[in-house]
Amino acid sequence: MRVLFVFLGLIWATAVPALDRAAVEQRFQAWLSTELWPLARAEGVSRRAFQNSLSGVRINWDLPDLVPPGTTPKTPKTQRQAEFGAPARYFNANTVQGTAAAGRRMAKRHAATLRRVEADTGVPARIILAIWGRESGFGQVPIRHDAFQVLATKAFMSTRAAYFTDELIAALQIVEAGHISGRAMKSSWAGALGQPQFMPSSFLTYAADGNGDGRADIWGSAEDTIASIANYLARHGWVSGRDWGFEVTVPASVSCALEGPDQGRPIRDWVAMGVTRVSGRPFSAHELRGEGYLMMPAGRHGPAFIVTPNFYVLKDYNTSDLYALFVGHVGDRIQYGVGDFKGHWGKVGGLYRSDIAAMQKDLIAMGHDVGGADGLPGYKTRRSIGRWQEATGQRPTCFPDARMKSRLRP
């Protein structure tokens, strides 16, 4: 990825009051011409493509995580992205069942394309369908945001300005290459494009022609969408022949702090420790030999899983445990007709991000690696909580709760 030194505190010599939106808008327009245009030109974007894409674009003040010039970034109190919220809400029965039912219909409608793409890439059709369904409802969910307004706003003043500047320039390169006109490019509120919801840089790298017409149309072509999703997963290391994971029962003797992709071991070793599949079926011989990882997205307050390297390929698509779990589970429902998880989600996930960030800072002060004080309870935070609980004589749950706020002090 291009290294772009875009830091608003250095770009602007004079701070503007955070609420003076007219003045910030003036700075935004100046930034487009004096800062962004030279960067885009250096990456092969023509003046015509630049103007056609960004003419008339103004700041979208409704987007999350904005840091106007002269203000200080803060951890938001609430979590807007569903993938990092309460697990029970994310696995709403209507959403899960509806996506699986629609996936079975799409499996029949696009059977020939799915067979061909699966044979070419090794990525199972059920996984492709589950991602397609989750990302855009198989192309039925309206995508209404102006992609250049979203990307330009976030590149100018978000908590990840450099990242979004790269993505903005990638979007300009998409227009320059003639894939779509700038004003027609629609995105999610995060800047993701088309039916597979690719960020612009992912489109440039992974979009594929699935119908042989010489184009990679992720906006209007189901065949191209299927091929593009499979290409993305294959090139991120999908292991053909292995599953994504299995729901399991984890005995109390196995610590929830053993979670994480850096604590893997052959699945036969997990079995020897007492971990069993909730289905009652044994693991196949080739899975027993393969590496597996403990994954407990709600700690002891929800279902537990032994996942394979393919689970983390799914996380490359969207860096959320719940997202990868949703895709794997819905894929299984599409192909095998499995039911709900056997484990039940507890009442977790209701804390403010700012509360979790404060807990993470306390854990960091104790020497734990929580993966950053971002207010998101990822596996490093979960297992750090478990290790702290074990060290202080508590029953490890490996998930933040309100009672920990006062007790978590170095």
Side-chain angles (χ1 to χ4, degrees):
M1 181 177 287
R2 295 173 293 275
V3 179
L4 301 175
F5 297 95
V6 181
F7 183 69
L8 297 175
L10 299 179
I11 293 173
W12 306 116
T14 305
V16 172
L19 297 179
D20 190 350
R21 291 190 176 187
V24 175
E25 184 69 50
Q26 289 180 343
R27 291 188 173 193
F28 172 65
Q29 297 299 328
W31 173 80
L32 290 174
S33 59
T34 62
E35 298 290 335
L36 182 65
W37 163 239
L39 294 171
R41 179 177 56 195
E43 296 296 334
V45 176
S46 68
R47 188 70 182 180
R48 179 176 181 178
F50 187 87
Q51 291 177 331
N52 287 346
S53 301
L54 292 164
S55 177
V57 166
R58 297 175 63 83
I59 292 172
N60 183 341
W61 290 95
D62 294 328
L63 297 174
D65 302 328
L66 300 184
V67 187
T71 65
T72 302
K74 295 180 180 179
T75 301
K77 289 186 71 174
T78 57
Q79 175 53 255
R80 178 165 177 172
Q81 191 166 350
E83 283 79 8
F84 300 100
R89 288 200 301 271
Y90 193 74
F91 285 89
N92 175 278
N94 290 337
T95 301
V96 171
Q97 294 167 11
T99 306
R104 287 189 285 272
R105 293 193 297 270
M106 300 304 274
K108 295 177 181 178
R109 184 178 305 173
H110 300 286
T113 299
L114 288 163
R115 281 195 301 270
R116 174 172 50 80
V117 169
E118 181 171 347
D120 289 344
T121 64
V123 179
R126 70 183 192 278
I127 296 296
I128 300 168
L129 289 165
I131 289 178
W132 187 14
R134 182 64 199 177
E135 294 294 347
S136 65
F138 304 100
Q140 299 305 303
V141 174
I143 301 172
R144 298 189 175 95
H145 285 280
D146 181 322
F148 281 101
Q149 183 187 55
V150 169
L151 294 168
T153 297
K154 286 181 167 285
F156 175 67
M157 57 173 195
S158 80
T159 53
R160 302 171 66 197
Y163 167 78
F164 282 105
T165 300
D166 280 345
E167 294 299 337
L168 176 54
I169 291 175
L172 290 165
Q173 291 174 315
I174 291 172
V175 174
E176 182 68 36
H179 294 290
I180 191 172
S181 68
R183 306 317 299 147
M185 191 184 292
K186 301 299 180 182
S187 76
S188 71
W189 60 265
L193 309 175
Q195 296 186 42
Q197 286 289 274
F198 278 177
M199 292 304 291
S201 61
S202 291
F203 175 91
L204 292 174
T205 306
Y206 305 111
D209 175 13
N211 58 13
D213 67 354
R215 300 177 62 236
D217 176 13
I218 64 171
W219 294 273
S221 168
E223 293 84 357
D224 291 3
T225 295
I226 290 168
S228 296
I229 292 170
N231 187 44
Y232 185 102
L233 297 177
R235 292 179 61 181
H236 278 79
W238 185 272
V239 181
S240 180
R242 291 209 68 184
D243 213 318
W244 65 269
F246 311 87
E247 188 182 358
V248 297
T249 298
V250 180
S253 58
V254 176
S255 172
C256 53
L258 291 175
E259 182 181 9
D262 55 350
Q263 299 191 99
R265 60 191 71 197
I267 290 179
R268 62 172 176 265
D269 290 358
W270 291 109
V271 172
M273 295 165 67
V275 174
T276 58
R277 294 179 64 179
V278 297
S279 66
R281 293 191 295 272
F283 291 96
S284 65
H286 78 279
E287 291 289 5
L288 284 170
R289 293 191 298 270
E291 190 163 58
Y293 316 92
L294 181 63
M295 205 279 292
M296 303 178 73
R300 288 286 182 180
H301 303 299
F305 305 87
I306 293 296
V307 299
T308 77
N310 286 337
F311 179 86
Y312 294 99
V313 174
L314 296 178
K315 277 194 70 174
D316 284 334
Y317 204 99
N318 183 318
T319 57
S320 159
D321 290 328
L322 296 184
Y323 177 89
L325 183 57
F326 183 96
V327 168
H329 178 61
V330 169
D332 288 350
R333 291 179 83 118
I334 289 171
Q335 182 164 339
Y336 306 123
V338 301
D340 296 336
F341 294 133
K342 299 296 183 182
H344 298 288
W345 299 109
K347 293 182 179 180
V348 296
L351 291 172
Y352 287 135
R353 277 186 65 178
S354 51
D355 289 334
I356 297 174
M359 295 182 197
Q360 290 170 324
K361 291 174 183 177
D362 290 337
L363 288 164
I364 291 170
M366 297 179 195
H368 292 281
D369 176 12
V370 300
D374 57 5
L376 305 176
Y379 75 88
K380 288 186 176 181
T381 295
R382 297 194 296 265
R383 72 187 186 192
S384 292
I385 288 172
R387 290 167 181 171
W388 165 74
Q389 290 171 321
E390 290 173 342
T392 54
Q394 303 175 64
R395 182 178 66 87
T397 62
C398 296
F399 206 83
D401 64 55
R403 293 170 298 178
M404 294 178 190
K405 288 193 290 184
S406 59
R407 299 188 64 186
L408 259 173
R409 291 292 181 268

